[in-house]
Amino acid sequence: MIRQRVGSIAATIVFILGFIGVGHMLATDPGRLFRQLLFIGIFGLVFYVIYRVFIGRRMSPEDMRYRKTAQASKKRMQGNRGPQVKPSAATKNKKSRKPGSNVTKLSKRSNVHRSNPPHLTVIEGKKGKKKKKANM
């Protein structure tokens, strides 16, 4: 517990000194500050590109299959963007009500009908059969 406090205090001191240093540099030499920030940004971009080209491309066969399946699923779901919500009974009854009546509003719950059911199969097991018990 004491180590966590010491680390937290040390991090706070480093951040405060960093803000003081950035503020001082901004006040005395803003051009140098912007050059340093630009250099840090370019350096980070170079490391990011190197990571993506050399390290990020190495994927296991499982990752490749997962990515391929995810793309196929996304493509299939984009094709199902039709109207899926039917108007509920509450919205149908609104039209027939009189404007002056004090009827409490029904909860607006819509029925969602899926055009494509989930692609799941039921595997039939040994539901009716009893296990053979050892006779003792």
Side-chain angles (χ1 to χ4, degrees):
M1 191 135 178
I2 294 174
R3 289 183 186 177
Q4 290 177 350
R5 257 192 248 159
V6 171
S8 175
I9 292 171
T12 305
I13 290 172
V14 168
F15 280 123
I16 290 172
L17 289 176
F19 282 126
I20 291 172
V22 168
H24 180 267
M25 189 178 289
L26 184 63
T28 58
D29 193 7
R32 183 173 157 215
L33 174 68
F34 292 123
R35 279 191 307 251
Q36 283 184 346
L37 290 176
L38 182 66
F39 177 73
I40 290 170
I42 291 172
F43 195 67
L45 183 66
V46 167
F47 269 118
Y48 176 75
V49 168
I50 289 172
Y51 171 76
R52 293 292 289 177
V53 169
F54 294 110
I55 298 172
R57 300 275 176 164
R58 294 182 197 163
M59 295 179 71
S60 68
E62 292 174 5
D63 291 338
M64 294 292 281
R65 285 186 295 216
Y66 173 75
R67 180 171 284 182
K68 190 174 183 180
T69 305
Q71 286 175 349
S73 176
K74 187 183 286 186
K75 186 182 268 187
R76 187 177 66 238
M77 293 306 289
Q78 285 177 351
N80 296 338
R81 299 257 175 160
Q84 296 179 352
V85 179
K86 280 188 165 182
S88 65
T91 57
K92 289 179 184 176
N93 290 337
K94 276 186 182 179
K95 295 176 185 176
S96 64
R97 279 194 292 174
K98 295 179 184 177
S101 64
N102 290 331
V103 178
T104 59
K105 293 183 180 180
L106 297 174
S107 64
K108 296 181 181 180
R109 186 176 174 192
S110 61
N111 297 328
V112 177
H113 295 282
R114 295 183 181 159
S115 59
N116 291 335
H119 301 286
L120 303 173
T121 58
V122 176
I123 301 172
E124 295 295 329
K126 300 177 183 177
K127 295 177 185 173
K129 298 180 181 178
K130 293 183 180 180
K131 293 181 181 178
K132 292 182 181 179
K133 295 181 182 179
N135 295 329
M136 288 187 186

